[in-house]
Amino acid sequence: MASSPAEATLPSARAGAPAGRAQVVGTGLIGGSVAAALRKSGWHVTGRDAIGGHAQRALELGCLDAVGTDPEATFCVVAVPAALLADQVAAALADTAAAGAVVTDTGSVKTPVSRAIADPRYVPGHPMAGSEQEGIEGANPDMFAGAVWALTPNEATDDHSLRVCQAVLAGFGSDVVTMTPERHDALVAVVSHVPHLTAASLMCLADDRALDDAPLLRLAAGGFRDMTRVAAGHPGIWLDICGENRDAIVSVLDELSERLSEMRDVVAGADRDGLRAVLTQARRARTNLPSRYVRPQELLEVRVPIPDRKGQIAAITMLAADCDVNVADIEVAHSPEGSEGVLVLVVARTEAQRFLAALAGQGYHPTTRDLA
């Protein structure tokens, strides 16, 4: 993107995220994949793991450049179980204090750690990606390409740290979404946590029935396998998740129980019209699940003048999430001659008008420009 001589433009995903020295804490499936993605993007990556031999194996597989702690790292990702997250994030912040590193994490539940850690350099995060494989052997540098990566800045997070995270993760090909920690936890209960528990319940139901009817599981076709695929996840991870996000999960399970009860009544009553309505709604919703935008002509730049005040980038990117607007790219242009900058967001043309209206409603004065 062209900038006037008076502007200093930060690196963006389109230009390639700035590479340097990175630290990864936890070299399992997710941490190993993050390390591999960082190396693929040009970073020098050092990793450590509390379990003996894990980091060394990551080094052998080419996911790391070195094993240990790098005090010169300027970007750090903590990928450990939820119960260990706060302590390890705090340790990572301390280890990289001299270099002023931005620290993020990959935990599935964001509210507890966001409340526990108040540091300008910390940006809580959660990649919505994974695999049925376990451990570093399943690490994949392309795991996050096309996947949503949620960032949930708290009140202490500064805009620079958020911007760095957005740029680095967009460089992986991730769809970076910003929201509050509390909202994240409520939403992932619906789209991730309860689906996993539902799949586990259905799988157990089939397994129990198979004890009396051996051919049952042999009849499990593609639909059943697809629906229960996530039940193959490691049980230990889900013990922590269900403990950390208990209230939101129980609330959604209650809603699901009501829905299943309604479905039972519709089927039991031979209510064809009611059943058709439910199935039609489900089909429409499934068909309309969002997808990534890949053609430049489908995209538009939205340019928003912002004051040099903490929290502006977080506020605008959260507003985009509220409007269900996908931000494909983001950067900031600063003018050294004034106290304002310009936040540049790339969004789908089809979503731009509602985003512009929402921005105007919040007192911003956005303009648009075609991509060059």
Side-chain angles (χ1 to χ4, degrees):
M1 175 185 302
S3 300
S4 70
E7 292 179 331
T9 304
L10 289 172
S12 74
R14 277 175 286 150
R21 301 182 71 89
Q23 173 79 51
V24 174
V25 180
T27 55
L29 174 66
I30 299 298
S33 296
V34 170
L38 285 165
R39 286 201 75 210
K40 185 176 179 180
S41 298
W43 292 78
H44 178 279
V45 185
T46 300
R48 68 170 187 263
D49 197 293
I51 300 178
H54 281 198
Q56 182 62 39
R57 182 55 177 157
L59 179 67
E60 294 169 358
L61 292 172
C63 297
L64 299 175
D65 293 292
V67 173
T69 299
D70 183 0
E72 298 180 13
T74 58
F75 187 72
C76 178
V77 181
V78 179
V80 300
L84 306 175
L85 198 53
D87 287 345
Q88 289 300 319
V89 168
L93 287 164
D95 289 341
T96 59
V102 173
V103 177
T104 187
D105 71 275
T106 64
S108 297
V109 184
K110 305 287 18 131
T111 302
V113 68
S114 297
R115 292 175 177 172
I117 305 292
D119 190 293
R121 296 188 288 120
Y122 175 50
V123 187
H126 175 211
M128 302 291 290
S131 167
E132 289 75 51
Q133 294 178 284
E134 295 181 15
I136 189 62
E137 303 292 339
N140 177 4
D142 299 317
M143 177 179 289
F144 311 108
V148 170
W149 196 308
L151 294 178
T152 64
N154 57 28
E155 292 182 358
T157 305
D158 67 29
D159 278 349
H160 170 74
S161 300
L162 178 59
R163 202 158 64 243
V164 167
C165 270
Q166 288 168 331
V168 174
L169 302 178
F172 294 171
S174 298
D175 176 8
V176 184
V177 177
T178 310
M179 61 185 64
T180 65
E182 295 80 8
R183 187 178 188 196
H184 166 274
D185 292 351
L187 295 181
V188 295
V190 177
V191 299
S192 176
H193 301 166
V194 168
H196 185 97
L197 298 176
T198 303
S201 298
L202 185 58
M203 196 68 248
C204 289
L205 172 64
D207 188 44
D208 290 343
R209 291 282 295 272
L211 295 176
D212 298 321
D213 201 343
L216 186 146
L217 294 180
R218 294 177 62 188
L219 299 179
F224 182 83
R225 292 177 181 274
D226 288 345
M227 185 174 180
T228 58
R229 177 182 59 82
V230 294
H234 194 286
I237 296 172
W238 288 94
L239 297 179
D240 285 344
I241 289 174
C242 290
E244 294 277 327
N245 204 28
R246 180 178 63 250
D247 292 345
I249 289 173
V250 169
S251 177
V252 177
L253 284 172
D254 287 342
E255 291 184 45
L256 178 60
S257 295
E258 292 177 9
R259 291 274 182 158
L260 289 173
S261 180
E262 291 170 2
M263 181 68 82
R264 180 206 174 279
D265 292 343
V266 166
V267 173
D271 181 358
R272 292 175 63 88
D273 290 339
L275 182 58
R276 184 185 300 276
V278 172
L279 296 177
T280 300
Q281 178 187 358
R283 181 186 184 189
R284 182 178 66 252
R286 180 63 178 81
T287 303
N288 290 333
L289 282 176
S291 59
R292 298 274 292 167
Y293 307 103
V294 295
R295 294 187 290 275
Q297 61 268 30
E298 295 180 354
L299 302 172
L300 191 69
E301 278 187 359
V302 175
R303 303 172 69 86
V304 189
I306 55 173
D308 185 13
R309 190 166 63 239
K310 180 179 176 181
Q312 289 296 300
I313 294 175
I316 290 173
T317 50
M318 286 183 189
L319 182 61
D322 288 341
C323 297
D324 194 23
V325 171
N326 174 61
V327 178
D329 193 15
I330 186 170
E331 64 181 85
V332 178
H334 286 292
S335 171
E337 299 175 355
S339 60
E340 281 200 346
V342 176
L343 183 61
V344 182
L345 307 101
V346 177
V347 305
R349 287 181 179 274
T350 56
E351 300 174 350
Q353 285 306 312
R354 69 171 178 268
F355 188 35
L356 292 171
L359 287 166
Q362 294 296 316
Y364 295 103
H365 303 283
T367 59
T368 62
R369 191 169 79 177
D370 291 333
L371 287 181

